[in-house]
Amino acid sequence: MSDKRAKSIEVRIHEEYDQLPESERKLADAILDSPGDLSSYTATELTALAGVSKAAGTRLFRRLGFANFEEAKLLARDRTHWGSPLYLERKSRKNVIPIPDYLKEEISVLQNSLMRLNPEDIDAVCEKILAARRIYLLGYRNSNMLANYLRWQLLQFRGDVQLMPTGGETVGEYIGDFLPEDLLIVFALRRRPVRLEAIMRASKEKNIPILLFIDPTARGQPGLADWTFITHVETSTTFDSLSAALSVARYIAIASLNRAGARGRAHLERIERQHEALGEFE
């Protein structure tokens, strides 16, 4: 059981599938058809759905390494909370969410995220963005897009803004150059790679200030950051919403540009002159 404990339900089923009796296989098929729904069923409802006895259900879950159905249900709930699309997708959901419902959820995500921002934190972050010797941005998976976006905005009014790591590089090559005069901006929305916390701890040892973007499911990382902005991502649909994180990043860029004053405008004008000289846009 100890070897199975960290494995997802569907992985456990696939490992045992060829050896399953017919009744247990029918229940396994029902679970694999929609793993996310497992957390919403009772044991009686699930076995009735599969057309098998409760005894078959008990045998299957024990075979999979669970003490009982409730332990399996908790694991499924944890996977949903973690943000696995396989578990967020439900058979009970509509194939297409109506646009008014989608808009309502996006507005809710934005409101819940933007209205909880602390103006004092915004002020401090903007000051650090303008004063930092160099700014580093880090993000994996969907968060990489957000880190890229904020970098593009900051480059409009200041230099030395780097995304890390890029092709073939390692994070350690950057951390070795970190100074307290710099700023590290980390986007860490779910699903976060396991090495992220180690990267942040190593960065903290270099005394570099850290701005962290997370969602409410984060654990551990917020304690390593100087400023933490929590943005909501979960809706009733399968894929997480990134609209709130993108909006907060944009707001910080706008506020920083406004604070940059003449220096920021001069930098922006230099960039625009180069765009024109090079004929880069239509």
Side-chain angles (χ1 to χ4, degrees), residues 67-187:
N68 49 45
F69 169 74
E70 291 302 319
E71 190 172 279
K73 187 173 181 177
L74 286 174
L75 179 58
R77 189 173 299 163
D78 182 63
R79 290 274 165 168
T80 303
H81 185 64
W82 179 42
S84 168
L86 180 63
Y87 283 79
L88 290 172
E89 179 61 23
R90 306 284 179 85
K91 287 187 68 176
S92 55
R93 287 177 173 160
K94 298 178 181 178
N95 290 333
V96 179
I97 181 173
I99 290 178
D101 294 344
Y102 177 82
L103 177 60
K104 183 178 179 180
E105 289 190 335
E106 288 294 290
I107 291 173
S108 176
V109 164
L110 284 166
Q111 286 180 332
N112 289 336
S113 302
L114 290 168
M115 297 309 294
R116 68 184 299 167
L117 292 176
N118 184 334
E120 293 182 359
D121 287 343
I122 294 291
D123 289 343
V125 165
C126 290
E127 289 178 8
K128 187 60 182 176
I129 285 174
L130 297 177
R133 178 194 71 136
R134 184 173 293 148
I135 297 177
Y136 299 90
L137 293 106
L138 173 66
Y140 293 97
R141 298 172 59 83
N142 285 338
S143 292
N144 182 259
M145 178 272 290
L146 297 168
N148 257 307
Y149 170 81
L150 183 54
R151 176 178 180 267
W152 293 331
Q153 310 317 307
L154 300 184
L155 281 173
Q156 304 306 307
F157 58 88
R158 62 150 294 155
D160 282 332
V161 184
Q162 301 188 23
L163 184 71
M164 63 177 225
T166 55
E169 298 173 337
T170 62
V171 174
E173 291 162 351
Y174 287 87
I175 295 177
D177 285 335
F178 283 177
L179 292 174
E181 294 78 29
D182 300 328
L183 172 65
L184 173 62
I185 302 176
V186 179
F187 286 86

